[in-house]
Amino acid sequence: MSDSLQYKVVANHEEQYSIWFAERPLPAGWNETGFTGTRQDCLDHIATVWTDLTPKSVRERLAGQAP
């Protein structure tokens, strides 16, 4: 696989991240985050911004529970 291919970082409604080919339409349920680059650039970006792998709905549910 060529490192010259361009990808974009995408996220779903649960704030889970992935990469997608820049020239292809996004699959349903995914949105662009505004970051594009090589595969490795995108994976490095995700490693920086996706620090809590817990899905958004679970974080919200846990935040609403009293100790």
Side-chain angles (χ1 to χ4, degrees):
M1 187 174 289
S2 172
D3 192 48
S4 66
L5 291 175
Q6 291 292 293
Y7 294 84
K8 49 188 151 189
V9 175
V10 296
N12 64 17
H13 71 283
E14 289 284 3
E15 297 179 353
Q16 297 168 312
Y17 289 81
S18 188
I19 62 173
W20 194 252
F21 294 104
E23 74 278 358
R24 293 188 185 170
L26 294 179
W30 292 88
N31 299 298
E32 293 185 37
T33 65
F35 188 92
T36 59
T38 65
R39 181 179 187 277
Q40 192 60 54
D41 289 341
C42 290
L43 293 174
D44 290 345
H45 177 73
I46 289 171
T48 301
V49 298
W50 193 15
T51 58
D52 185 351
L53 302 183
T54 308
K56 182 180 179 183
S57 61
V58 174
R59 290 193 317 265
E60 289 174 346
R61 186 171 57 240
L62 293 174
Q65 292 180 349

